[in-house]
Amino acid sequence: MALLVSLVFLLLLTLIGISSMQSATLQEKMAGSVALRNQTFQSAEAVLRVGESAVQRDSYSLPVCSGVRQCAPPAESSVITAAGFNTTSGVTWIASGKGFYGVQNLGVVRNVVNVPINTPATLYRVTAVGIVGSSRSVVESTYAKY
């Protein structure tokens, strides 16, 4: 009888141990996913700063986007895997670090925040994609140049 009771307790302890190992494995995967997501986001931020630095140069020029399709945020940012020109959005993607950036000239406007009153400023949309492993992050900024 004692042998039977001890075998049942051993079986219960084994089941608890297996359940704990499965839970620990799942938590390890989740922690790895969060770390990968953070790396991807940091990569996208770094690529965004490279794109903004390119726009900031005095010699930088880009034709104004035309039409709703070319002035909308580029839809291919969620699937882009290589640098080059996209005919649908009119964005030229440039590889940098662990990702890509694309710039769109949104045109000249007046009365932009943090720009002197009645000073014309050219607005640029900089879209950056960070790719690390199977994770992807897309960040975007609007840059006013006057």
Side-chain angles (χ1 to χ4, degrees), residues 34-126:
V34 168
L36 186 62
R37 174 76 173 103
N38 188 29
Q39 288 176 348
T40 305
F41 180 75
Q42 296 299 326
S43 175
E45 282 281 329
V47 172
L48 182 70
R49 300 299 169 238
V50 170
E52 288 174 345
S53 295
V55 170
Q56 191 175 20
R57 289 191 305 255
D58 290 335
S59 61
Y60 189 83
S61 66
L62 190 66
V64 177
C65 63
S66 60
V68 173
R69 222 173 213 185
Q70 288 191 342
C71 291
E76 71 270 10
S77 61
S78 61
V79 294
I80 186 170
T81 57
F85 182 74
N86 184 286
T87 55
T88 305
S89 66
V91 173
T92 300
W93 292 97
I94 299 166
S96 176
K98 293 182 179 179
F100 309 95
Y101 72 88
V103 181
Q104 295 167 292
N105 183 341
L106 301 178
V108 177
V109 295
R110 292 185 181 275
N111 299 327
V112 178
V113 175
N114 295 330
V115 174
I117 294 176
N118 290 326
T119 302
T122 303
L123 294 182
Y124 292 94
R125 177 186 294 126
V126 183

